[in-house]
Amino acid sequence: MKLLHIDTSILGANSASRQVSAKVVERLKAVTPDLSVTYRDLAAEPLSHLSGTHLAAAQGAVPEEPELQKDIAAGQAVLDEFLAADVVVIGAPMYNFTMPSQLKAWIDRILVNGKTFRYTENGPEGLVGDKRIIVAISRGGMYGAGAPAAALEHLETYLKGVFAFIGVTNPEFIVAEGLNIGPEHREKAMQGAIEAATGLRAA
Ligand SMILES: Cc1cc2nc3c(=O)[nH]c(=O)nc-3n(C[C@H](O)[C@H](O)[C@H](O)COP(=O)(O)O)c2cc1C
């Protein structure tokens, strides 16, 4: 069984989402025999933005620039890694009401027509069926149902939509929110998220 662990926070050792995603992986390793883990830190090694040249390369054009060749290979590597994983664990902090651009750049590389989705006469169809995705979300404010800022929540809702689009309809979310309200609130929210991670079923 293969697990892909992705972190995206720019806050290094102080990151809440990194702490929770690490706990998720620790838990799954403890309860799943023969789990092999691949780790990718998208803040330390970011993927570049998509460009027209990337799209041309996807259609078969061979770019001449060595840097671009390297970047296209990196995009292919993250796609292969994602497709090969049985379980994907993502640390996803909220920055400016949505995900870090590092995570968006990764999504731009895994939403590939013909690989993770396709268009049919009946509309788009997701091709990534049997994969478990667990997202550790961290947010400074509160965005739950009824919160005044709920309409600005474009992280969890976006990821749900994207994963459903490629065929993963039941992603699991562990949310630590209100982390910037104050130390007490942060401690409680982190404790709740760590407890949720510790109670996860085997991979
Ligand atoms: C650049 C930046 C933008 C942020 N934008 C938001 C935001 O829009 N809404 C929010 O609730 N918190 C926001 N925060 C707070 C983070 O969501 C919070 O600090 C969270 O713990 C970040 O997760 P991390 O510690 O894993 O990086 C922002 C933090 C940073 C650094």
Side-chain angles (χ1 to χ4, degrees), residues 4 37 48 51 55 59 65-66 70 77 79 82 85 122 137 147-148 163 169 175-177 179 185 187 189 193:
L4 171 62
V37 177
S48 59
S51 67
L55 297 186
Q59 309 286 328
E65 305 88 336
K70 255 169 64 185
L79 175 62
F82 174 73
N122 303 319
I137 283 192
F163 293 138
T169 51
V175 179
E177 70 170 355
L179 298 179
H185 202 290
E187 202 184 315

Side-chain angles (χ1 to χ4, degrees), residues 9-11 14-18 92-98 138-143 176 179-180 186:
S9 167
I10 58 174
L11 298 183
N14 296 319
S15 158
S17 60
R18 283 175 186 267
M94 175 182 274
Y95 295 157
N96 300 317
F97 308 112
T98 185
S138 53
R139 307 191 279 235
M142 306 288 285
Y143 298 85
L179 298 179
N180 293 356
R186 183 183 180 93

Side-chain angles (χ1 to χ4, degrees), residues 1-3 28-37 86-87 202-203:
M1 172 114 7
K2 288 183 180 171
L3 183 148
L28 295 183
K29 271 168 85 172
V31 292
T32 313
D34 297 328
L35 189 67
S36 75
V37 177
D86 303 291
V87 185

Side-chain angles (χ1 to χ4, degrees), residues 142-158:
M142 306 288 285
Y143 298 85
L152 286 171
E153 208 295 322
H154 302 296
L155 170 58
E156 190 175 340
T157 46
Y158 175 87

